[in-house]
Amino acid sequence: MTEKEEKSQTIKNESNSETWIIGKEFRFEASHQLPNHDGKCARLHGHSWRGVIYVSGNKLVTSGAKQDMIMDYADIKKYLKPLLDDYLDHYHLNETTGLANPTSEAIARWIYEQLEDKIPGLVAVRIDETCTSQCIYSKGKNNFLIL
């Protein structure tokens, strides 16, 4: 096989690869304040937060109870529940997360870092602070995009 044919075959194989991305939504009520902010967010206030945990994979489970899944949504929930119960839902995020300035960006990264060793294929965490303001954090996955 010539170098050109080999390169063409590589491109063909890459274009036929499959990837699945699943998302598990979660919600929590919490207060925070941004002491460095130059506006009203420097004051104590709260939000009805919404988040999504994104998991990616290119192979599905081949047998058993999880067949044809990359991961069971219930397993994502199992790892997320302690964070919600012990740090996020109905808490003051400045205190429970250890973040001095808990912006949406910092909270998304904090959640990602709490889950990255527990959830194989974790690709991103999305945090919606309001219905019009959100952040997606992805570690080392610069090409990750959720539309």
Side-chain angles (χ1 to χ4, degrees):
M1 189 179 306
T2 69
E3 186 178 332
K4 185 176 181 180
E5 290 171 326
E6 199 172 298
K7 186 175 181 182
S8 174
Q9 184 66 34
T10 301
I11 292 170
K12 182 179 178 187
N13 288 344
E14 288 175 4
S15 67
N16 288 335
S17 67
E18 297 178 304
T19 300
W20 290 267
I21 299 173
I22 61 171
K24 178 64 176 163
E25 183 176 318
F26 60 97
R27 295 176 184 270
F28 61 98
E29 307 292 327
S31 66
H32 72 153
Q33 64 185 112
L34 308 179
N36 303 322
H37 195 265
D38 60 355
K40 62 184 180 180
C41 291
R43 297 191 302 264
L44 176 64
H45 63 285
H47 297 284
S48 295
W49 303 81
R50 175 190 174 268
V52 182
I53 303 298
Y54 292 104
V55 177
S56 175
N58 58 10
K59 293 182 181 177
L60 301 178
V61 176
T62 57
S63 63
K66 316 278 189 212
Q67 183 174 344
D68 294 330
M69 299 178 182
I70 58 171
M71 182 175 211
D72 191 329
Y73 294 112
D75 291 336
I76 298 171
K77 184 177 179 180
K78 173 180 69 175
Y79 294 118
L80 184 59
K81 187 176 180 350
L83 296 181
L84 293 170
D85 291 348
D86 300 335
Y87 298 96
L88 300 173
D89 192 31
H90 287 81
Y91 285 101
H92 182 55
L93 300 178
N94 298 64
E95 294 172 358
T96 58
T97 63
L99 300 168
N101 196 39
T103 61
S104 293
E105 294 88 342
I107 294 165
R109 180 175 53 205
W110 184 86
I111 292 170
Y112 187 102
E113 289 174 349
Q114 303 306 306
L115 298 175
E116 68 183 323
D117 292 335
K118 296 176 177 76
I119 299 178
L122 177 65
V123 69
V125 172
R126 175 178 169 159
I127 289 294
D128 296 7
E129 184 172 309
T130 69
C131 59
T132 61
S133 302
Q134 60 272 162
C135 169
I136 298 175
Y137 176 80
S138 182
K139 190 177 203 175
K141 297 168 179 69
N142 295 330
N143 61 355
F144 181 79
L145 178 64
I146 295 295
L147 301 175

